[in-house]
Amino acid sequence: MPVDSQQWIDRFLHHLQTERRLSANTCNHYQRDLAELLAFYRKAGINGWAQLDTHAVRQFAALAHRRGLSGRSIQRRLSAVRSFYNYLLRERQVTSNPAHDVRAPKSERRLPDTLNVDDIARLMGGAAGDGLALRDLAMLELMYSSGLRLSELVSLNLEDIDLAEHMVRVTGKGNKVRVVPVGTKALAALRAWLQVRPAQLAEGESAVFTGRRGQRLGRRAVQQRIKRWARQQGIPGDVHPHTLRHSFASHLLESSGDLRAVQELLGHADISTTQIYTHLDFQHLARVYDAAHPRARKSDKQ
């Protein structure tokens, strides 16, 4: 019995999970993007993955652009298509990769949201108390102290934290492991949380951060708790986990000027990803220049 188009997607997703060992979140992104490709494929009357050519892939990208998707989102979709076809090539189902030379339209690069140092202090100061408040403070301090992604935070296990050496072992994108330092305040918050954590532990649970039922805390729960503390402290804007990571990078770069070190700490494979924080730093310098330099602005009196 021949394998149909959906079954090849299912096989590819299984390959991502078992052979490449990608995170569940990454696999979900691939699944959504390939579901869109399959819907396009069927509507276009294409019969078999070998019939999808470069022109069709460009049409697929153009359709997403007309629907308002950003260049970054389209690029992610195209990356999923390229990876899928590389798998089909390996399985000898196709003879070429039609997405190989297709590029997404460029979109304006949005600068990440950050908090200033005073807002960070207000946020950390608000998450005070006992029990779950200690947990929340430990999460906030650790994300800001070490620049962790949300997925990295929720996947932390007890053996990943070395309190004596002030280090945490993090598994990032592509299952790449890095070891990053933990600041004094984050260490104190972690110790306080770990002292009360065993009382709320489900049997066999190794997660550092657990919920009321003693099970590993989920991504959505972390997002909600951070928003709650930010609202409670009157911090404007949409504060989310990545805001703390962005703030970590911006503040560290502003103080040190060491772009390579920030790249390593963030776990960026490409330094061009880290360079966006130099734009944030330049904006700060430009504001200082405009406010302080006697010839920074033209006089209103001409």
Side-chain angles (χ1 to χ4, degrees):
M1 182 178 178
V3 179
D4 68 18
S5 300
Q6 179 62 60
Q7 285 178 313
W8 277 115
I9 291 178
D10 294 339
R11 288 185 178 188
F12 172 63
L13 294 171
H14 181 72
H15 156 75
L16 296 180
Q17 293 166 346
T18 59
E19 294 184 43
R20 292 180 57 184
R21 302 183 67 82
L22 299 186
S23 70
N25 186 54
T26 300
C27 290
N28 288 337
H29 280 306
Y30 274 104
Q31 186 174 25
R32 285 195 294 270
D33 292 337
L34 293 176
E36 290 290 339
L37 177 67
L38 183 59
F40 168 83
Y41 158 112
R42 286 172 172 165
K43 191 171 183 179
I46 295 169
N47 183 26
W49 289 117
Q51 292 186 10
L52 192 75
D53 58 16
T54 299
H55 176 68
V57 175
R58 287 200 177 100
Q59 286 183 319
F60 176 64
L63 178 62
H65 185 59
R66 289 196 298 272
R67 289 176 175 173
L69 259 67
S70 68
R72 187 174 180 178
S73 294
I74 297 170
Q75 185 57 51
R76 191 198 68 210
R77 279 192 179 180
L78 290 172
S79 177
V81 177
R82 277 191 290 274
S83 295
F84 177 53
Y85 267 87
N86 284 337
Y87 171 76
L88 293 178
L89 278 167
R90 192 191 81 168
E91 297 298 312
R92 299 183 179 181
Q93 296 301 306
V94 298
T95 57
S96 63
N97 190 331
H100 180 70
D101 292 323
V102 181
R103 295 291 178 265
K106 290 186 177 180
S107 57
E108 185 177 349
R109 197 170 191 182
R110 189 175 66 86
L111 296 179
D113 296 326
T114 60
L115 298 178
N116 60 41
V117 175
D118 290 337
D119 282 340
I120 288 287
R122 283 168 58 199
L123 180 63
M124 305 303 181
D130 52 21
L132 296 182
L134 289 175
R135 179 203 64 191
D136 292 350
L137 178 59
M139 293 191 304
L140 291 167
E141 288 281 9
L142 187 57
M143 279 188 283
Y144 177 63
S145 167
S146 304
L148 302 191
R149 299 178 177 94
L150 175 57
S151 59
E152 295 169 348
L153 181 87
V154 298
S155 66
L156 280 180
N157 293 322
L158 291 175
E159 62 267 23
D160 295 325
I161 295 179
D162 189 335
L163 296 176
E165 294 296 328
H166 300 194
M167 294 288 183
V168 60
R169 186 174 66 247
V170 178
T171 303
K173 291 184 175 180
N175 282 326
K176 292 182 180 178
V177 177
R178 68 186 190 279
V179 177
V180 293
V182 180
T184 304
K185 290 184 181 295
L187 280 171
L190 275 169
R191 287 192 176 104
W193 159 241
L194 292 176
Q195 284 179 352
V196 302
R197 172 187 171 277
Q200 303 173 356
L201 190 61
E203 184 178 355
E205 182 57 76
S206 61
V208 173
F209 298 109
T210 54
R212 293 182 185 276
R213 297 179 181 179
Q215 298 174 329
R216 187 182 299 273
L217 202 64
R219 296 162 58 94
R220 183 61 179 159
V222 176
Q223 292 169 334
Q224 290 173 338
R225 296 297 287 185
I226 291 175
K227 288 179 185 293
R228 175 194 168 189
W229 288 116
R231 285 196 305 267
Q232 188 167 308
Q233 293 304 106
I235 297 173
D238 184 18
V239 180
H240 48 82
H242 237 57
T243 307
L244 295 172
R245 177 171 159 88
H246 294 323
S247 301
F248 157 85
S250 180
H251 297 168
L252 191 60
L253 183 61
E254 187 175 332
S255 299
S256 69
D258 193 333
L259 189 65
R260 285 287 181 186
V262 175
Q263 177 194 5
E264 291 295 324
L265 290 168
L266 290 172
H268 286 162
D270 190 337
I271 200 168
S272 65
T273 308
T274 318
Q275 283 174 331
I276 191 169
Y277 297 106
T278 64
H279 298 301
L280 291 172
D281 193 37
F282 179 79
Q283 285 186 336
H284 168 73
L285 293 174
R287 285 195 297 270
V288 171
Y289 180 87
D290 287 341
H293 197 286
R295 293 186 181 274
R297 295 182 181 278
K298 292 181 180 180
S299 172
D300 292 334
K301 297 179 181 179
Q302 297 290 339

